[in-house]
Amino acid sequence: MDTQALLQEAQNFQAENKEQLDAFKSRFLGKKGVLNDLFANMKHVAPESRKSYGQEVNAIKQAAEEKITQYTALFENSDSKSTPDIDHSLPGNWMPVGSMHPVTLVRNEILEIFSKIGFSVAEGPEIEDDWHNFSALNFPPEHPARDMQDTFFMDHEAAFALRTHTSSVQVRIMENHKPPIRITAPGRVYRNEAISARAHCLFHQVEGLYIDKNVSFADLKQTLLHFAKEMFGAESQIRLRPSYFPFTEPSAEMDVSCNICSGEGCNVCKHTGWLEIMGCGMVDPQVLSNCGIDPETYSGYAFGMGVERIAMLKYSIKDLRLFFENDVKFLKQFGNG
Ligand code: PHE
């Protein structure tokens, strides 16, 4: 084999496309390529010529490899150039992003308002025992809320139930923490009620609890006024109507001035100018001692509000069931945090 001719062939090689390069590769470096033949031929070369023969073959190999590297790089680059240019003026693909559920948005807003004035967030279980949901909170054994009508009991002895309110978290926190206590407790609550536009068997509450020395009803009133102004606007007013809860004394129902008609009277506030948004009161001394806190030293207030109710007022939603239907057309109208 003429090594000089092969060296020249390798050195002069030019490829116009990948096919030519591939053919060149297999002619020189393939299994049955010339270089394998040349190396195999080594044993037939006279011993004194072997050295120079070896050098010539290596030179061919090197020349072939250089060409291959050079053209491989060239065709790779031109490959990417041959893909069509991107038209940046075309509208992009629509990527739907999820949005926060209105109940989540309003819950977060409530927690944020209270966290700015020193309330931390506590949580408790949704399956509660009688003590935390009822007894520690002064519900007498014959209280109607214990009736099967209102509560989803887990067993026939009524020892466990789906909690009917987040006030159960008050008990858990007071049992395990020393005052001062300042917490909010958000979460799901359950009631055995017929589902309608105004009631559901599942909804969300945010509870508030503040226990310290010398906490008074005036502190409660001022905290709730602050909350109403932050939540519904600086013009908002509140009013407290006497009410009853077994675990607070005195107890009140809090109304906020209707932010839709500014108190003039409209359909939403049923022409009263006021909207009821939560229950509240001073923690009953008996509840404090049930939970191991000395009522002679400490006093405190508690409040509990329905998150859906506040979301309905804030977003003018007329039917509570919409929150649980997961209709994307409804859900995507709210913030996209
Ligand atoms: N737990 C009461 C309810 O569900 C609300 C409430 C909480 C009232 C705290 C007073 C104090 O209606």
PDB file of all heavy atoms in Angstrom, residues 57-77:
ATOM      1  N   VAL A  57       2.626   5.525   9.017  1.00  0.00           N
ATOM      2  CA  VAL A  57       1.233   5.130   9.311  1.00  0.00           C
ATOM      3  C   VAL A  57       0.631   6.053  10.364  1.00  0.00           C
ATOM      4  O   VAL A  57      -0.519   6.511  10.243  1.00  0.00           O
ATOM      5  CB  VAL A  57       1.182   3.656   9.756  1.00  0.00           C
ATOM      6  CG1 VAL A  57      -0.236   3.269  10.156  1.00  0.00           C
ATOM      7  CG2 VAL A  57       1.665   2.754   8.636  1.00  0.00           C
ATOM      8  N   ASN A  58       1.425   6.361  11.378  1.00  0.00           N
ATOM      9  CA  ASN A  58       0.920   7.261  12.416  1.00  0.00           C
ATOM     10  C   ASN A  58       0.586   8.647  11.865  1.00  0.00           C
ATOM     11  O   ASN A  58      -0.378   9.283  12.304  1.00  0.00           O
ATOM     12  CB  ASN A  58       1.922   7.388  13.555  1.00  0.00           C
ATOM     13  CG  ASN A  58       1.674   6.285  14.589  1.00  0.00           C
ATOM     14  OD1 ASN A  58       0.537   5.870  14.787  1.00  0.00           O
ATOM     15  ND2 ASN A  58       2.750   5.790  15.195  1.00  0.00           N
ATOM     16  N   ALA A  59       1.395   9.092  10.904  1.00  0.00           N
ATOM     17  CA  ALA A  59       1.133  10.398  10.300  1.00  0.00           C
ATOM     18  C   ALA A  59      -0.208  10.383   9.574  1.00  0.00           C
ATOM     19  O   ALA A  59      -0.986  11.347   9.650  1.00  0.00           O
ATOM     20  CB  ALA A  59       2.258  10.772   9.329  1.00  0.00           C
ATOM     21  N   ILE A  60      -0.511   9.262   8.881  1.00  0.00           N
ATOM     22  CA  ILE A  60      -1.804   9.148   8.180  1.00  0.00           C
ATOM     23  C   ILE A  60      -2.950   9.193   9.207  1.00  0.00           C
ATOM     24  O   ILE A  60      -3.948   9.897   9.044  1.00  0.00           O
ATOM     25  CB  ILE A  60      -1.879   7.834   7.382  1.00  0.00           C
ATOM     26  CG1 ILE A  60      -0.769   7.785   6.319  1.00  0.00           C
ATOM     27  CG2 ILE A  60      -3.239   7.676   6.728  1.00  0.00           C
ATOM     28  CD1 ILE A  60      -0.583   6.436   5.655  1.00  0.00           C
ATOM     29  N   LYS A  61      -2.733   8.423  10.287  1.00  0.00           N
ATOM     30  CA  LYS A  61      -3.774   8.341  11.317  1.00  0.00           C
ATOM     31  C   LYS A  61      -4.070   9.742  11.891  1.00  0.00           C
ATOM     32  O   LYS A  61      -5.231  10.156  12.011  1.00  0.00           O
ATOM     33  CB  LYS A  61      -3.315   7.414  12.441  1.00  0.00           C
ATOM     34  CG  LYS A  61      -4.433   7.080  13.386  1.00  0.00           C
ATOM     35  CD  LYS A  61      -3.965   6.174  14.522  1.00  0.00           C
ATOM     36  CE  LYS A  61      -5.096   6.005  15.503  1.00  0.00           C
ATOM     37  NZ  LYS A  61      -4.600   5.828  16.844  1.00  0.00           N
ATOM     38  N   GLN A  62      -2.998  10.465  12.188  1.00  0.00           N
ATOM     39  CA  GLN A  62      -3.140  11.791  12.774  1.00  0.00           C
ATOM     40  C   GLN A  62      -3.860  12.735  11.815  1.00  0.00           C
ATOM     41  O   GLN A  62      -4.771  13.466  12.211  1.00  0.00           O
ATOM     42  CB  GLN A  62      -1.750  12.339  13.084  1.00  0.00           C
ATOM     43  CG  GLN A  62      -1.758  13.162  14.338  1.00  0.00           C
ATOM     44  CD  GLN A  62      -0.353  13.705  14.611  1.00  0.00           C
ATOM     45  OE1 GLN A  62       0.651  13.170  14.100  1.00  0.00           O
ATOM     46  NE2 GLN A  62      -0.281  14.761  15.377  1.00  0.00           N
ATOM     47  N   ALA A  63      -3.460  12.680  10.514  1.00  0.00           N
ATOM     48  CA  ALA A  63      -4.079  13.556   9.517  1.00  0.00           C
ATOM     49  C   ALA A  63      -5.565  13.249   9.391  1.00  0.00           C
ATOM     50  O   ALA A  63      -6.412  14.159   9.356  1.00  0.00           O
ATOM     51  CB  ALA A  63      -3.382  13.367   8.173  1.00  0.00           C
ATOM     52  N   ALA A  64      -5.903  11.952   9.386  1.00  0.00           N
ATOM     53  CA  ALA A  64      -7.308  11.565   9.264  1.00  0.00           C
ATOM     54  C   ALA A  64      -8.108  12.047  10.477  1.00  0.00           C
ATOM     55  O   ALA A  64      -9.201  12.615  10.350  1.00  0.00           O
ATOM     56  CB  ALA A  64      -7.409  10.055   9.127  1.00  0.00           C
ATOM     57  N   GLU A  65      -7.526  11.863  11.658  1.00  0.00           N
ATOM     58  CA  GLU A  65      -8.243  12.268  12.882  1.00  0.00           C
ATOM     59  C   GLU A  65      -8.465  13.782  12.934  1.00  0.00           C
ATOM     60  O   GLU A  65      -9.534  14.246  13.351  1.00  0.00           O
ATOM     61  CB  GLU A  65      -7.475  11.800  14.120  1.00  0.00           C
ATOM     62  CG  GLU A  65      -7.717  10.327  14.391  1.00  0.00           C
ATOM     63  CD  GLU A  65      -6.866   9.752  15.529  1.00  0.00           C
ATOM     64  OE1 GLU A  65      -5.935  10.460  15.978  1.00  0.00           O
ATOM     65  OE2 GLU A  65      -7.142   8.624  15.948  1.00  0.00           O
ATOM     66  N   GLU A  66      -7.468  14.527  12.502  1.00  0.00           N
ATOM     67  CA  GLU A  66      -7.624  15.990  12.484  1.00  0.00           C
ATOM     68  C   GLU A  66      -8.791  16.415  11.609  1.00  0.00           C
ATOM     69  O   GLU A  66      -9.596  17.261  11.987  1.00  0.00           O
ATOM     70  CB  GLU A  66      -6.334  16.648  11.973  1.00  0.00           C
ATOM     71  CG  GLU A  66      -5.374  16.999  13.095  1.00  0.00           C
ATOM     72  CD  GLU A  66      -4.003  17.409  12.584  1.00  0.00           C
ATOM     73  OE1 GLU A  66      -3.924  17.929  11.440  1.00  0.00           O
ATOM     74  OE2 GLU A  66      -3.018  17.196  13.313  1.00  0.00           O
ATOM     75  N   LYS A  67      -8.841  15.814  10.417  1.00  0.00           N
ATOM     76  CA  LYS A  67      -9.930  16.156   9.485  1.00  0.00           C
ATOM     77  C   LYS A  67     -11.289  15.822  10.093  1.00  0.00           C
ATOM     78  O   LYS A  67     -12.240  16.590   9.984  1.00  0.00           O
ATOM     79  CB  LYS A  67      -9.771  15.363   8.164  1.00  0.00           C
ATOM     80  CG  LYS A  67      -8.615  15.840   7.311  1.00  0.00           C
ATOM     81  CD  LYS A  67      -8.971  17.140   6.611  1.00  0.00           C
ATOM     82  CE  LYS A  67      -7.737  17.657   5.849  1.00  0.00           C
ATOM     83  NZ  LYS A  67      -7.948  18.968   5.235  1.00  0.00           N
ATOM     84  N   ILE A  68     -11.329  14.656  10.748  1.00  0.00           N
ATOM     85  CA  ILE A  68     -12.612  14.235  11.327  1.00  0.00           C
ATOM     86  C   ILE A  68     -13.070  15.218  12.413  1.00  0.00           C
ATOM     87  O   ILE A  68     -14.216  15.656  12.430  1.00  0.00           O
ATOM     88  CB  ILE A  68     -12.510  12.796  11.864  1.00  0.00           C
ATOM     89  CG1 ILE A  68     -12.398  11.830  10.667  1.00  0.00           C
ATOM     90  CG2 ILE A  68     -13.721  12.421  12.714  1.00  0.00           C
ATOM     91  CD1 ILE A  68     -11.922  10.448  11.025  1.00  0.00           C
ATOM     92  N   THR A  69     -12.139  15.589  13.310  1.00  0.00           N
ATOM     93  CA  THR A  69     -12.491  16.544  14.363  1.00  0.00           C
ATOM     94  C   THR A  69     -12.954  17.863  13.747  1.00  0.00           C
ATOM     95  O   THR A  69     -13.972  18.425  14.153  1.00  0.00           O
ATOM     96  CB  THR A  69     -11.276  16.847  15.277  1.00  0.00           C
ATOM     97  OG1 THR A  69     -10.459  15.685  15.335  1.00  0.00           O
ATOM     98  CG2 THR A  69     -11.690  17.269  16.643  1.00  0.00           C
ATOM     99  N   GLN A  70     -12.203  18.327  12.766  1.00  0.00           N
ATOM    100  CA  GLN A  70     -12.509  19.624  12.145  1.00  0.00           C
ATOM    101  C   GLN A  70     -13.910  19.639  11.520  1.00  0.00           C
ATOM    102  O   GLN A  70     -14.720  20.523  11.795  1.00  0.00           O
ATOM    103  CB  GLN A  70     -11.439  19.890  11.080  1.00  0.00           C
ATOM    104  CG  GLN A  70     -11.647  21.132  10.246  1.00  0.00           C
ATOM    105  CD  GLN A  70     -10.707  21.123   9.013  1.00  0.00           C
ATOM    106  OE1 GLN A  70      -9.691  20.413   8.993  1.00  0.00           O
ATOM    107  NE2 GLN A  70     -11.053  21.885   7.998  1.00  0.00           N
ATOM    108  N   TYR A  71     -14.202  18.587  10.717  1.00  0.00           N
ATOM    109  CA  TYR A  71     -15.501  18.589  10.027  1.00  0.00           C
ATOM    110  C   TYR A  71     -16.674  18.244  10.955  1.00  0.00           C
ATOM    111  O   TYR A  71     -17.786  18.723  10.759  1.00  0.00           O
ATOM    112  CB  TYR A  71     -15.468  17.651   8.807  1.00  0.00           C
ATOM    113  CG  TYR A  71     -14.774  18.310   7.628  1.00  0.00           C
ATOM    114  CD1 TYR A  71     -13.492  17.933   7.235  1.00  0.00           C
ATOM    115  CD2 TYR A  71     -15.418  19.335   6.918  1.00  0.00           C
ATOM    116  CE1 TYR A  71     -12.851  18.555   6.168  1.00  0.00           C
ATOM    117  CE2 TYR A  71     -14.783  19.969   5.862  1.00  0.00           C
ATOM    118  CZ  TYR A  71     -13.511  19.573   5.479  1.00  0.00           C
ATOM    119  OH  TYR A  71     -12.899  20.203   4.439  1.00  0.00           O
ATOM    120  N   THR A  72     -16.395  17.431  11.962  1.00  0.00           N
ATOM    121  CA  THR A  72     -17.477  17.129  12.920  1.00  0.00           C
ATOM    122  C   THR A  72     -17.931  18.425  13.582  1.00  0.00           C
ATOM    123  O   THR A  72     -19.133  18.711  13.669  1.00  0.00           O
ATOM    124  CB  THR A  72     -16.995  16.139  14.006  1.00  0.00           C
ATOM    125  OG1 THR A  72     -16.419  15.011  13.349  1.00  0.00           O
ATOM    126  CG2 THR A  72     -18.135  15.681  14.895  1.00  0.00           C
ATOM    127  N   ALA A  73     -16.969  19.245  14.018  1.00  0.00           N
ATOM    128  CA  ALA A  73     -17.304  20.515  14.669  1.00  0.00           C
ATOM    129  C   ALA A  73     -18.075  21.414  13.704  1.00  0.00           C
ATOM    130  O   ALA A  73     -19.080  22.023  14.075  1.00  0.00           O
ATOM    131  CB  ALA A  73     -16.026  21.203  15.141  1.00  0.00           C
ATOM    132  N   LEU A  74     -17.618  21.438  12.461  1.00  0.00           N
ATOM    133  CA  LEU A  74     -18.261  22.301  11.474  1.00  0.00           C
ATOM    134  C   LEU A  74     -19.725  21.913  11.246  1.00  0.00           C
ATOM    135  O   LEU A  74     -20.620  22.748  11.276  1.00  0.00           O
ATOM    136  CB  LEU A  74     -17.485  22.195  10.148  1.00  0.00           C
ATOM    137  CG  LEU A  74     -17.926  23.152   9.056  1.00  0.00           C
ATOM    138  CD1 LEU A  74     -17.390  24.559   9.347  1.00  0.00           C
ATOM    139  CD2 LEU A  74     -17.378  22.680   7.699  1.00  0.00           C
ATOM    140  N   PHE A  75     -19.953  20.610  11.053  1.00  0.00           N
ATOM    141  CA  PHE A  75     -21.333  20.186  10.780  1.00  0.00           C
ATOM    142  C   PHE A  75     -22.233  20.323  12.000  1.00  0.00           C
ATOM    143  O   PHE A  75     -23.413  20.592  11.874  1.00  0.00           O
ATOM    144  CB  PHE A  75     -21.352  18.747  10.230  1.00  0.00           C
ATOM    145  CG  PHE A  75     -20.712  18.635   8.879  1.00  0.00           C
ATOM    146  CD1 PHE A  75     -19.861  17.575   8.547  1.00  0.00           C
ATOM    147  CD2 PHE A  75     -20.943  19.626   7.907  1.00  0.00           C
ATOM    148  CE1 PHE A  75     -19.271  17.484   7.296  1.00  0.00           C
ATOM    149  CE2 PHE A  75     -20.356  19.546   6.650  1.00  0.00           C
ATOM    150  CZ  PHE A  75     -19.504  18.471   6.342  1.00  0.00           C
ATOM    151  N   GLU A  76     -21.666  20.170  13.181  1.00  0.00           N
ATOM    152  CA  GLU A  76     -22.487  20.357  14.393  1.00  0.00           C
ATOM    153  C   GLU A  76     -22.988  21.787  14.479  1.00  0.00           C
ATOM    154  O   GLU A  76     -24.147  22.047  14.749  1.00  0.00           O
ATOM    155  CB  GLU A  76     -21.663  20.053  15.643  1.00  0.00           C
ATOM    156  CG  GLU A  76     -21.897  18.636  16.113  1.00  0.00           C
ATOM    157  CD  GLU A  76     -21.009  18.257  17.273  1.00  0.00           C
ATOM    158  OE1 GLU A  76     -20.413  19.172  17.877  1.00  0.00           O
ATOM    159  OE2 GLU A  76     -20.902  17.058  17.537  1.00  0.00           O
ATOM    160  N   ASN A  77     -22.078  22.752  14.245  1.00  0.00           N
ATOM    161  CA  ASN A  77     -22.470  24.160  14.301  1.00  0.00           C
ATOM    162  C   ASN A  77     -23.505  24.501  13.242  1.00  0.00           C
ATOM    163  O   ASN A  77     -24.482  25.166  13.507  1.00  0.00           O
ATOM    164  CB  ASN A  77     -21.255  25.073  14.097  1.00  0.00           C
ATOM    165  CG  ASN A  77     -20.385  25.054  15.340  1.00  0.00           C
ATOM    166  OD1 ASN A  77     -20.856  24.666  16.403  1.00  0.00           O
ATOM    167  ND2 ASN A  77     -19.139  25.442  15.200  1.00  0.00           N
TER     168      ASN A  77
END
